Amino acid sequence: MDGTQGRIAARRLASPARREQILEAAIAYFAEVGFGGTTRDLARRAGVTQALLYRYFSSKADLTEAVFERIYLGRLDPRWIEEIRDRSVPLRARLLRFYGAYTGAIFTYEWMRIFMWAGLAGDALNNRYLSRVADSLLAPIAAEIGAEPGLTPPAMEDMWNLHGGIVYIGIRRFIYRLPTPDDCTPAIEAATDRFLAGCRAT
Amino acid sequence: MDGTQGRIAARRLASPARREQILEAAIAYFAEVGFGGTTRDLARRAGVTQALLYRYFSSKADLTEAVFERIYLGRLDPRWIEEIRDRSVPLRARLLRFYGAYTGAIFTYEWMRIFMWAGLAGDALNNRYLSRVADSLLAPIAAEIGAEPGLTPPAMEDMWNLHGGIVYIGIRRFIYRLPTPDDCTPAIEAATDRFLAGCRAT
DNA sequence: CACTCTGTTGATCAATTGATCAACAAGCGA
DNA sequence: TCGCTTGTTGATCAATTGATCAACAGAGTG
């Protein structure tokens, strides 16, 4: 209830809890201002002293690395690909289910912005993540489309087009701060239907 | 032919030429490292002294502002919208012509990255630019599609989907540094055809 | 209460960085 | 060649910033 920013933290915390608190604050802070942000500002927002950061992280680089790991780790749910291949469910429903889950996982302020900051900075994890998206998600989806009677399997560039058109909603919302629909399900449905219709027409 | 970086500049240059040279170097430099880059690094790459920057720009903020203006100014060609409305040309050809010209204008290392850096930093020009894209380009395109017999006019969210899917090619190439086709014309054609087919099906 | 462990802090250092300024020097007209 | 204008530089300042460390303080134990 104090009017000042930060300094909300308890006076004394168990080591793992404090580390977790700092890490969470770092994710929120770096998402907002990028990795050029200062350790002093971060500490203020975490409600601790700047010196304390160095008890839990050996350097700023060490801290940002922890932010990366936390952000990337477990972001790609292995069940997604299983569900994509589950042919007991109609193809359209599988696509909608996947992109519902995928956007549900990545359409957050922290994820979208940290991913973009990292991409611009040339982070290697970023590049590797997207390669995995291509190999483990887009390629299997293309294969499933190709397995459907009457549908031509789309090229990877077409898959990227589907993917990019959907992800761009999050870019507009969290990076460009443009108004977007609260619920992006209808947009995903429309994009998916257009895409499937295109695979049929060829 | 000196092995060192930078210091290519002539010893003495006319004032406007030097300013132009610094501005060009700033665009290339900030595109690469973002606006957190230092004036010393920039000066080194421009081949001048750090102090000289302040003869042509009153502050770093003044310099970055000049970079913005140069980048944004004249990037939206007013002829594009005229050509979009030119109904003597088939609709599909108009769409392809527009996105050929549009991607030809923005798919550069400098533009894509500075635009993204600025977007993350919350630059106002960025937001305004995209609003103009929506009002002056996407909305008229939607209207032209709606004017075509047998086609339903797409909602703005659909237009953003078309747009985002195409722009995402540039994001992959210049921000994520992923491999993309040298010529993105086929991808644009495929995306456009899918989109128009979708407008027909409804 | 005294003791110990450890989470936390304020002070501080060295390097970086935006910005300034007096001094230098290249071109050019008289 | 002299002298003026102006493009250019090296030195330097003040503020910021990542990182360190001795000292402080809260909590549990005997």
Side-chain angles (χ1 to χ4, degrees):
Chain A
M1 276 294 166
D2 60 351
T4 65
Q5 298 178 344
R7 193 52 58 92
I8 303 155
R11 300 283 279 180
R12 194 184 169 91
L13 231 58
S15 183
R18 182 66 83 192
R19 185 188 158 95
E20 180 62 22
Q21 176 204 11
I22 292 175
L23 186 52
E24 283 299 317
I27 290 173
Y29 176 65
F30 288 135
E32 183 177 330
V33 306
F35 296 101
T38 69
T39 55
R40 280 176 176 74
D41 273 350
L42 165 58
R44 194 175 310 126
R45 289 179 45 155
V48 298
T49 329
Q50 185 239 4
L52 193 62
L53 301 183
Y54 291 87
R55 176 144 190 110
Y56 297 95
F57 302 92
S58 63
S59 67
K60 186 184 173 183
D62 183 41
L63 174 55
T64 60
E65 201 174 329
V67 169
F68 280 142
E69 280 186 29
R70 169 64 60 91
I71 278 286
Y72 286 107
L73 206 67
R75 192 64 61 153
L76 293 181
D77 194 326
R79 282 175 304 180
W80 291 343
I81 184 165
E82 294 173 21
E83 294 181 345
I84 285 170
R85 293 195 170 120
D86 176 13
R87 297 190 183 172
S88 71
V89 176
L91 177 63
R92 178 177 185 272
R94 276 181 276 160
L95 288 179
L96 295 184
R97 179 173 58 182
F98 165 67
Y99 269 112
Y102 186 71
T103 57
I106 71 166
F107 276 12
T108 72
Y109 183 85
E110 290 75 20
W111 160 263
M112 287 299 292
R113 292 179 62 89
I114 285 185
F115 190 78
M116 197 60 80
W117 284 118
L120 279 167
D123 178 58
L125 283 176
N126 197 289
N127 202 287
R128 203 186 323 157
Y129 170 89
L130 282 170
S131 298
R132 279 194 51 193
V133 166
D135 297 342
S136 306
L137 295 172
L138 300 188
I141 290 176
E144 288 303 311
I145 293 176
E148 197 82 359
L151 294 191
T152 313
M156 275 307 288
E157 197 59 27
D158 294 313
M159 292 307 304
W160 276 120
N161 181 64
L162 170 66
H163 193 77
I166 291 173
V167 168
Y168 196 74
I169 299 172
I171 295 177
R172 282 161 53 210
R173 183 184 301 167
F174 296 112
I175 282 108
Y176 300 145
R177 301 164 193 267
L178 291 171
T180 53
D182 295 328
D183 179 16
C184 55
T185 307
I188 292 176
E189 284 190 28
T192 303
D193 287 336
R194 269 194 296 272
F195 193 77
L196 288 177
C199 295
R200 208 177 316 272
T202 308
Chain B
M1 278 299 158
D2 58 352
T4 65
Q5 299 178 344
R7 193 52 57 92
I8 303 154
R11 299 287 279 180
R12 194 183 169 91
L13 232 57
S15 183
R18 182 67 82 192
R19 184 187 158 95
E20 179 62 22
Q21 177 204 9
I22 291 175
L23 186 52
E24 284 298 319
I27 290 173
Y29 175 65
F30 288 135
E32 183 177 330
V33 307
F35 296 101
T38 70
T39 56
R40 279 176 176 77
D41 273 349
L42 165 58
R44 195 175 309 126
R45 290 180 44 155
V48 298
T49 331
Q50 186 238 3
L52 193 63
L53 302 182
Y54 291 86
R55 179 150 189 103
Y56 297 95
F57 301 93
S58 63
S59 67
K60 186 185 174 184
D62 183 41
L63 174 55
T64 60
E65 201 172 331
V67 168
F68 281 143
E69 279 188 27
R70 170 63 59 89
I71 277 288
Y72 286 108
L73 206 67
R75 191 64 60 151
L76 292 181
D77 193 326
R79 282 176 303 181
W80 292 343
I81 184 165
E82 295 173 20
E83 294 180 347
I84 285 171
R85 293 194 170 120
D86 176 11
R87 297 191 182 171
S88 70
V89 177
L91 178 63
R92 178 177 186 272
R94 276 182 277 161
L95 288 179
L96 295 184
R97 179 173 59 181
F98 165 67
Y99 270 111
Y102 187 70
T103 57
I106 71 166
F107 276 12
T108 72
Y109 183 86
E110 289 77 18
W111 161 263
M112 288 298 295
R113 291 179 62 89
I114 285 185
F115 190 78
M116 196 59 79
W117 285 117
L120 279 167
D123 179 59
L125 282 176
N126 196 288
N127 202 287
R128 203 188 321 159
Y129 170 90
L130 282 170
S131 299
R132 279 194 51 193
V133 166
D135 298 342
S136 305
L137 295 173
L138 300 188
I141 290 175
E144 289 303 310
I145 293 176
E148 196 82 359
L151 295 191
T152 312
M156 275 306 287
E157 196 58 26
D158 293 313
M159 292 308 304
W160 276 120
N161 181 64
L162 170 66
H163 193 76
I166 290 173
V167 169
Y168 197 74
I169 299 172
I171 294 177
R172 281 161 52 210
R173 183 183 303 168
F174 296 112
I175 282 107
Y176 300 144
R177 302 164 194 267
L178 291 171
T180 54
D182 295 329
D183 179 15
C184 56
T185 307
I188 292 176
E189 284 189 28
T192 304
D193 287 336
R194 269 194 295 272
F195 192 76
L196 288 177
C199 295
R200 209 177 315 272
T202 307

